[in-house]
Amino acid sequence: MKRPQTDPDQSDAIVKTIFEEVRTKGDLAVAKYTSLLDGTNPETTAVTTAEILQAKDQISEDLKKAIATAQINIEKFHRAQQSPKIVVETMEGVTCWQEKKPIQKVGLYIPAGTAPLFSTVLMLAIPAQIAGCNEIILCSPPNKNGQIDPAVLYAAFQCGITKIYKIGGIQAIAAMTFGTATVPKVYKIFGPGNQYVTAAKQYAYQFGVAIDMPAGPSELLIVADESAVPKYIAADLLSQAEHGKDSQVILVSNSESLITAVEAAVNEQIAFLPRQEIAVKAIANSSLIYIPEPEDTLRFINDYAPEHLMICSENESFYIDGIQNAGSVFIGNFTPESAGDYASGTNHTLPTNGFSKNYSGVCLDSFLKSVTFQKISPKGLQNLGPTIEIMATAEGLDGHKNAVTLRLADLNETL
Ligand SMILES: [Zn+2]
């Protein structure tokens, strides 16, 4: 069950220091840590329109088309998550309703690191726009030339995001938490990141900023039997292993021959991966596990609570029905996990490190809040009033009772 983790105390101390500096010195502190940690000193932190247009020219037509297809699917799936206003007359004259309202100011964090994840821009910006968030800002670390990856800028532009800042890591989270002269303060921060970004997001919570979830290194758990194709399973395991050295991938199977075949296929395929060095380290954190009984397998999966779960089994409905804890589930031999990472329509920002036990992945609701309303008619208060009076008296809160009693007395007089 144990995930590869680095020492949290170490990141906590750095987070505190940088937060304090950004809180007191604003943009100056942001610039200091950008040059210190990203090795660059961009002329302007805010991305200019000229830079966005320049990025557009650098993107191939094929990639533009692919982004457009992904965008359509993600938008379809997230638009369908809109829920209507719920109105209930709980008793005669007492009307209650619930309405979703967008979180007004949100900050999207897009990591760059070893791979600029422009796909994450789509996964966060599209639901934010559908939800109707008024202010959507995006932070992403600059490269050595002081630029954000053109694909990240292009994807942001396509999603209608224009407030983009060349800031990464802890200083980005701190800037969005406190606001600086350049970067607006936000109410909720979204997006994946390394252990420092995760620690920073959790620390931001102390200053009244909400976060999507405590995201960590990527994980994939595959449950497979003899009906699975070893080379597909190996490719899927490696697809998540290449995310980072601290990624973890697990295969659980009731077939020893499948496990042997997958292990051989992993060793064969890893040799051709450009990100081999990363994948090799992640594979060292990973396991091939033989569990003969499906009930034991299911219990293990629910205890492990994977970010991504793939089911390649003749017994697939047993696992589909029994799964309680997983971020996102991929079913069948022709549903690679990459589909959800990029373009099928589901969100790829998902809970890791066992948090699928108590967190959902990012969805439309992540950008909304539920607000409740009520309106009580005179008749309604006559119906409900005595109940409130009795309960308030029993709790010893006479002021509460009085707020009802005064009104009921007036109503009785007019009758
Ligand atoms: Zn992935």
Side-chain angles (χ1 to χ4, degrees):
M1 302 291 168
K2 205 166 171 246
R3 311 300 212 266
Q5 284 274 307
T6 29
D7 180 16
D9 295 339
Q10 188 199 343
S11 37
D12 283 355
I14 301 167
V15 166
K16 265 189 188 167
T17 307
I18 298 182
F19 263 62
E20 189 48 28
E21 275 196 58
V22 172
R23 191 181 68 79
T24 51
K25 295 184 193 138
D27 286 334
L28 269 177
V30 170
K32 170 185 157 188
Y33 285 104
T34 300
S35 68
L36 201 68
L37 302 171
D38 297 316
T40 180
N41 192 5
E43 223 169 275
T44 55
T45 311
V47 171
T48 62
T49 315
E51 282 175 297
I52 293 174
L53 294 176
Q54 204 184 345
K56 215 173 158 185
D57 291 338
Q58 288 172 264
I59 306 300
S60 72
E61 287 310 308
D62 278 352
L63 182 53
K64 281 180 183 165
K65 270 189 206 149
I67 288 176
T69 303
Q71 201 176 354
I72 289 167
N73 291 348
I74 296 162
E75 192 173 330
K76 271 187 204 165
F77 190 66
H78 288 77
R79 206 171 275 287
Q81 293 166 22
Q82 283 171 319
S83 51
K85 170 168 136 181
I86 299 164
V87 187
V88 179
E89 192 174 13
T90 54
M91 68 197 295
E92 199 197 340
V94 181
T95 308
C96 300
W97 70 99
Q98 187 198 60
E99 247 178 276
K100 303 255 173 90
K101 299 282 180 185
I103 297 173
Q104 290 171 293
K105 301 171 183 208
V106 296
L108 315 181
Y109 182 75
I110 306 299
T114 56
L117 300 178
F118 63 87
S119 54
T120 304
V121 178
L122 304 178
M123 296 292 174
L124 299 177
I126 292 171
Q129 293 285 23
I130 296 170
C133 303
N134 310 53
E135 184 159 64
I136 307 170
I137 69 165
L138 187 151
C139 286
S140 190
N143 60 25
K144 293 270 175 268
N145 306 321
Q147 299 289 325
I148 291 180
D149 183 80
V152 168
L153 291 184
Y154 176 75
F157 179 73
Q158 287 304 104
C159 296
I161 311 294
T162 49
K163 290 182 177 174
I164 307 168
Y165 305 95
K166 300 173 201 172
I167 313 174
I170 302 168
Q171 60 274 24
I173 306 301
M176 291 192 278
T177 299
F178 300 116
T180 69
T182 310
V183 183
K185 172 184 165 54
V186 301
Y187 300 155
K188 187 168 180 178
I189 298 173
F190 294 80
N194 59 22
Q195 60 169 118
Y196 296 103
V197 170
T198 302
K201 279 170 67 188
Q202 275 167 313
Y203 191 59
Y205 193 77
Q206 297 188 21
F207 300 94
V209 176
I211 60 166
D212 49 356
M213 71 192 80
S218 197
E219 312 156 355
L220 168 66
L221 187 149
I222 304 180
V223 54
D225 62 15
E226 300 258 306
S227 70
V229 184
K231 66 178 176 191
Y232 296 172
I233 303 288
D236 293 324
L237 291 171
L238 287 170
S239 78
Q240 285 312 104
E242 76 173 354
H243 270 296
K245 292 169 184 169
D246 47 6
S247 299
Q248 186 173 63
V249 293
I250 308 273
L251 169 66
V252 187
S253 181
N254 60 356
S255 159
E256 288 177 83
S257 65
L258 181 84
I259 289 176
T260 312
V262 168
E263 189 170 22
V266 165
N267 290 333
E268 197 180 300
Q269 290 179 24
I270 204 168
F272 300 99
L273 274 188
R275 289 168 68 88
Q276 186 192 130
E277 197 199 319
I278 291 172
V280 164
K281 294 222 166 80
I283 290 292
N285 301 324
S286 300
S287 300
L288 304 155
I289 304 174
Y290 170 69
I291 306 180
E293 296 302 329
E295 288 75 17
D296 294 335
T297 304
L298 187 59
R299 206 167 52 217
F300 171 72
I301 299 169
N302 278 325
D303 280 350
Y304 183 86
E307 177 191 19
H308 304 102
L309 169 66
M310 283 183 70
I311 302 169
C312 299
S313 163
E314 280 178 328
N315 211 358
E316 71 178 32
S317 57
F318 170 81
Y319 292 105
I320 295 169
D321 295 343
I323 187 68
Q324 300 289 336
N325 306 323
S328 195
V329 184
F330 301 77
I331 303 149
N333 284 333
F334 293 96
T335 316
E337 192 272 334
S338 316
D341 273 355
Y342 289 107
S344 56
T346 61
N347 209 289
H348 78 194
T349 311
L350 298 165
T352 58
N353 200 15
F355 279 110
S356 67
K357 283 183 183 137
N358 40 23
Y359 277 85
S360 310
V362 165
C363 58
L364 186 61
D365 269 343
S366 313
F367 296 89
L368 298 165
K369 307 159 293 151
S370 290
V371 182
T372 55
F373 299 78
Q374 59 197 286
K375 184 158 189 191
I376 303 179
S377 70
K379 178 80 185 121
L381 193 64
Q382 283 175 322
N383 288 334
L384 185 62
T387 303
I388 305 166
E389 288 178 310
I390 294 167
M391 291 177 77
T393 305
E395 285 196 343
L397 298 176
D398 267 29
H400 286 67
K401 174 178 179 282
N402 211 28
V404 174
T405 309
L406 286 178
R407 289 180 167 90
L408 286 182
D410 280 356
L411 287 174
N412 288 334
E413 230 168 72
T414 56
L415 280 174

